[in-house]
Amino acid sequence: DEQTDEEDQEGGGWFLLLHMGAGWYEPRQEHEHRELLRKASEEGRRLLQSGGNCHEVLARVVSALEDSPCTNAGMGSLYRSQHELVLV
């Protein structure tokens, strides 16, 4: 399907996919993680709809995920089940 410039301006020419990692999280933290994803995706959607480019959106959304204390995004390492620190 080809889309017109008008459709792209209305948000029909993009999508936003967020991934918070493949680590294990406490079940009690699920609401906090879902709320973080909701807020970050909403921020990205607003930027895209207002004409922001992909680089601006990427920087803003990744910063929101990395700045949150509920993720280890941007830390560069993780703990394995044997309690050893591994750089990733």
Side-chain angles (χ1 to χ4, degrees):
D1 275 331
E2 289 188 27
Q3 294 182 337
T4 66
D5 289 337
E6 185 177 320
E7 287 174 323
D8 284 344
Q9 290 173 1
E10 293 174 4
W14 53 264
F15 73 93
L16 185 62
L17 175 71
L18 302 181
H19 185 305
M20 272 184 31
W24 181 85
Y25 301 104
E26 293 280 343
R28 62 184 164 77
Q29 295 173 310
E30 182 177 353
H31 177 74
E32 184 180 6
H33 289 150
R34 287 182 184 270
E35 186 64 15
L36 173 60
L37 286 171
R38 188 194 64 73
K39 286 179 179 180
S41 62
E42 180 66 21
E43 175 80 15
R45 183 189 63 77
R46 275 195 303 271
L47 279 169
L48 287 167
Q49 286 182 328
S50 67
N53 68 48
C54 63
H55 300 286
E56 294 169 324
V57 174
L58 176 65
R60 187 79 59 89
V61 170
V62 168
S63 290
L65 296 176
E66 288 181 342
D67 292 346
S68 173
C70 78
T71 69
N72 67 351
M75 298 295 208
S77 61
L78 57 85
Y79 278 108
R80 293 191 183 254
S81 60
Q82 299 85 10
H83 302 290
E84 59 186 343
L85 188 61
V86 177
L87 294 176
V88 290

